[in-house]
Amino acid sequence: MKYTEIQDKSLQELEGMLKEKKMELFELKLKLKTMQLTNPNEIRACRKDIARIKTAISAQKNA
């Protein structure tokens, strides 16, 4: 996911995406603890997506 894909979305869409990504991160961490995660880089990618979404939300609130 790139920032340019996110910046045009509405605030409600962004908050919904943020909630989904946080849930996905929780599930990935759970899989990591139970040794079911095959690619640990997915956690890093998910955290970066969350940061991008939060950046877009704060940019919209300030504008």
Side-chain angles (χ1 to χ4, degrees):
M1 173 184 319
K2 297 197 175 209
Y3 181 74
T4 55
E5 299 170 6
I6 299 172
Q7 68 185 7
D8 297 329
K9 297 194 182 280
S10 70
L11 192 60
Q12 287 115 2
E13 287 176 320
L14 289 172
E15 288 174 349
M17 289 174 61
L18 181 63
K19 190 173 184 178
E20 289 174 13
K21 282 292 180 180
K22 284 187 175 185
M23 192 61 157
E24 181 182 340
L25 180 63
F26 174 76
E27 291 171 4
L28 287 172
K29 285 182 178 181
L30 189 65
K31 285 182 182 179
L32 181 68
K33 296 291 182 186
T34 59
M35 304 295 258
Q36 295 176 347
L37 188 62
T38 56
N39 186 4
N41 290 331
E42 292 177 30
I43 293 175
R44 183 177 183 206
C46 188
R47 285 177 46 216
K48 287 190 175 204
D49 287 343
I50 289 172
R52 286 186 187 104
I53 294 169
K54 284 184 175 181
T55 301
I57 288 173
S58 66
Q60 282 192 1
K61 285 184 179 179
N62 292 336

